[in-house]
Every structure is written in structure tokens, then in C-alpha cells.
Amino acid sequence: MAILHRLLAITFCTVAPLGWAGETLQLQAAQVKALGIETVVAGSPRSGRNGALPARVLVPTEQMRVVSAPVAGLVEMLAVAPGSTVKRGQVVAHLASPQALELQRDALQSGSAAALQQQNLKRDEQLFAEGLIAESRLQATRSAAAQAEAQASERRQGLALAGVAAGKLGGPLALTSPLDGVVLEQSAQLGQRVEASTPLYRIARLSPLWLEIQAPLEVAAAQKLGATVKLADSPISGKLIAIGRAVDAASQTVLLRAAVSTGADKLYPGQVVEVEMSTPAGEQQSLPTAALVRDQGKTFAFVQTAGSDQGYSFEPRVVRIVSQGGDSVVVDGIAVGERVAVKGISGLKAMLTGVGK
């Protein structure tokens, strides 16, 4: 400690008694070592986490489907459970439904009626060509055939919408997966009676996934589409695909959305994570919180302006805090490539405080 006090005394004698702003501290190499001063280059990985922000993992809406009961009935069989991987067209449930039998019956009857009317139309066209019937009768037969075909088409479409196989009666109604994916949720139980449109399963394709990030307005305003978004303490990263235009009234944050493709299998829908937003090139950089000091309502960082074996210079520079999260803070006023002190800050502050007295 005696050595440190002597070094500080030497410094106090070599620096003019001026205020913080615009001052420069001149230190010898031995002083830097004694004070334990360490620096990092702004913009380097060691300069701190780039504004860790909370985010939630979501499934893109276009990659999610709901398997629901097309008609009322009884859940007779459930073939998959939450977490199961399914293929498109794979049977996931069976539904016993009297309503499905009615749809099949109506489709068969309307199909038979349409076929009969087509036969009548062919016969009357032949008779009319031979001059045996009036044209009015042929027109009436054509109208009846058109109506019968329209009704049969309507019944077939109803079967298709219900997922009921046409051409036969009986048997359970098989419900299938609409896409390759994973079962996220099961909403019905075996033996349950359900109404039409009751959800049975929620199935989703889990790659890519979305990260929805609540970012301070200053951070959001500095971002550009395509910017890299990285999960904190993880190699998983994605690209920014949307920047919200509305500010949440309660939190004063803006919604950012990023898409993650590589590494999406390591994430889970609904998971809450921390992400690091890449800071734009220029005057915004991420630093450890410990690198900053406050004086008279202003925030300072110590920027090394010169350094060699002969001596070092540190400038206390005013910075503006853009965002803060965890042990890091994004500030405005430090350029990429500048060297900033991150350890020994208390010694530098003590030197300035002593000089100002």
C-alpha cells in the first residue's frame, strides 16, 4: 500500500488540478500495474455481453396446425401423445360419429341420384334427336340433371371437409396429421364426447423458431433487419426478421422478432432465454458495468488514449447509457477499436477526485 500511495502522490503532482471532463491522466507503467488496471478493445468479445435482453421462444404461426373434430362424436382412439413426432397423413385419432355416417349416407344417395339423372338426360337427348319428345321436356331433364350433380358435389365437399372417406358406410373416422412435426398439446381424452371443431391436438414444425424480444426503444431504433441475434452463453444465433413499430405503454419496450434455424432443436417453445443484440458499428459499444463511474450526474468511462512502456494516458469520457442487462451495459460515445479500462477503475477515480481538490 505504501508503494501505491507513493505512486498516487507522484501522479497528483504531475496532473494539473482540473475537473473530470477534458482531463487526461498520465501514468507510468509501474503505476498501471500497481493499480491493477486492465483494458479491453471496444467491439471485441471481451468488452462485455452486448445488451442481454429477455426473449421468449415461439413457433412461427404458419408452422402450427390444430387437429380438431370435424363432426360431433366419441374419441375412440388416440394414437399419439405430447412430444411425439408425426408425419403428414399419419393417423393420430379415431372418432366414432353418427354424424359422419349421415354424411356418408347423404353423399351416396346424392351420387346415385345424380347418376340416374345423367342416364335420363342421355335417353331424352336421344329421343329428342329422333323427334319423339318436345324440346321443353329435354330442357327440364337437363335442369334436373344439373341440380342433382350440384347436390352430389356439395355432399362430396362436405365429406372432404369432415375427413370422411367417401364410397362406404361405417367404420371410425380417422383424423390425420396435416404436416410433419411434433405434438405440442393434447386437448382431448380417450372416451370423451366432443362437438364439431373441438381441438384434439396441436402440432407444429419446430424449425425454424422465433425469438420475441422486448427491447428498449433506443436499442430497437439502432437495429436493422438481418442483424445477428445470439443467445447468451450459447453458440445458437439467429437473424432479426421484424422490428415492431409500436411501443408497449407499460414497459416502454419495442417487440423485435428473430428467426433461429441452426440450433433450433436445442430450444423449446415457451422457453424464456436471454439474447445478445449485436451493437451497430460506430459509437455504441457494450462494456462491463464495472467499467463505468458516475460523477455529478454524468457517467464516465476511462478511455486509453496512449500506451507504451514509457507511459499511459487515460481520458475520462462522458458516455450515455443506451441499455443495460446483467453485468453489461451498452453505451453511446465509445468507438470501435478504442481501448477502455475495465479494472482498476476505483484507482483512476480516486486519482481524479484527488486532483480536483
Side-chain angles (χ1 to χ4, degrees):
M1 290 299 296
I3 295 175
L4 176 59
H5 290 160
R6 285 199 298 271
L7 291 172
L8 289 175
I10 293 172
T11 304
F12 294 161
C13 294
T14 58
V15 181
L18 299 175
W20 281 45
E23 285 305 306
T24 301
L25 293 174
Q26 305 291 339
L27 284 77
Q28 302 293 328
Q31 291 176 289
V32 171
K33 183 177 180 180
L35 291 171
I37 296 172
E38 294 184 12
T39 61
V40 297
V41 177
S44 68
R46 291 185 57 218
S47 63
R49 287 165 58 179
N50 289 337
L53 298 171
R56 189 159 59 101
V57 180
L58 297 177
V59 179
T61 51
E62 68 272 13
Q63 295 173 201
M64 193 179 304
R65 299 290 187 275
V66 173
V67 178
S68 58
V71 291
L74 177 72
V75 179
E76 194 174 71
M77 186 270 285
L78 295 172
V80 294
S84 301
T85 300
V86 295
K87 297 292 184 181
R88 181 177 182 180
Q90 177 181 337
V91 175
V92 297
H94 280 166
L95 194 66
S97 172
Q99 187 177 351
L101 292 176
E102 294 176 4
L103 291 174
Q104 288 176 319
R105 181 201 62 200
D106 292 345
L108 287 172
Q109 289 178 347
S110 60
S112 297
L116 179 60
Q117 288 296 333
Q118 286 297 322
Q119 292 178 0
N120 292 338
L121 178 59
K122 289 182 179 179
R123 183 199 61 201
D124 284 1
E125 285 178 342
Q126 180 64 33
L127 293 175
F128 178 73
E130 296 174 357
L132 299 178
I133 60 172
E135 185 177 0
S136 59
R137 175 176 165 177
L138 176 61
Q139 295 296 338
T141 304
R142 284 177 176 169
S143 177
Q147 290 179 3
E149 181 57 34
Q151 189 176 48
S153 177
E154 179 186 351
R155 298 291 189 270
R156 288 193 298 270
Q157 290 182 31
L159 279 179
L161 291 174
V164 182
K168 61 178 182 179
L169 288 172
L173 176 59
L175 305 182
T176 60
S177 172
L179 79 171
D180 296 347
V182 175
V183 178
L184 298 183
E185 182 182 346
Q186 176 184 320
S187 305
Q189 301 299 321
L190 189 65
Q192 179 181 345
R193 292 190 177 276
V194 296
E195 298 298 324
S197 301
T198 300
L200 304 182
Y201 288 109
R202 187 160 58 94
I203 300 174
R205 188 172 69 251
L206 300 185
S207 182
L209 290 174
W210 281 349
L211 295 175
E212 285 202 344
I213 308 157
Q214 295 293 337
L217 180 58
E218 296 86 353
V219 176
Q223 298 301 318
K224 293 184 178 181
L225 295 180
T228 299
V229 177
K230 182 180 178 297
L231 266 69
D233 303 320
S234 170
I236 300 174
S237 63
K239 297 293 184 182
L240 194 64
I241 60 172
I243 301 174
R245 297 293 298 168
V247 177
D248 181 78
S251 63
Q252 288 297 294
T253 57
V254 176
L255 178 66
L256 305 180
R257 183 176 295 118
V260 176
S261 297
T262 304
D265 57 328
K266 302 293 193 303
L267 301 176
Y268 298 87
Q271 179 183 0
V272 176
V273 297
E274 277 193 338
V275 299
E276 298 172 359
M277 304 294 298
S278 60
T279 55
E283 297 293 318
Q284 288 190 2
Q285 300 301 325
S286 179
L287 299 172
T289 305
L292 304 182
V293 294
R294 293 189 63 82
D295 182 70
Q296 299 181 2
K298 295 182 179 180
T299 303
F300 292 82
F302 289 95
V303 180
Q304 180 180 321
T305 55
S308 66
D309 294 338
Q310 284 72 38
Y312 294 80
S313 299
F314 288 91
E315 168 197 334
R317 184 180 301 173
V318 177
V319 297
R320 181 177 65 88
I321 296 177
V322 176
S323 67
Q324 186 169 358
D327 58 356
S328 67
V329 59
V330 177
V331 298
D332 188 359
I334 304 294
V336 173
E338 289 191 302
R339 189 170 287 275
V340 182
V342 295
K343 288 188 178 181
I345 307 301
S346 58
L348 292 171
K349 180 180 179 181
M351 292 169 63
L352 281 173
T353 303
V355 168
K357 291 183 179 181

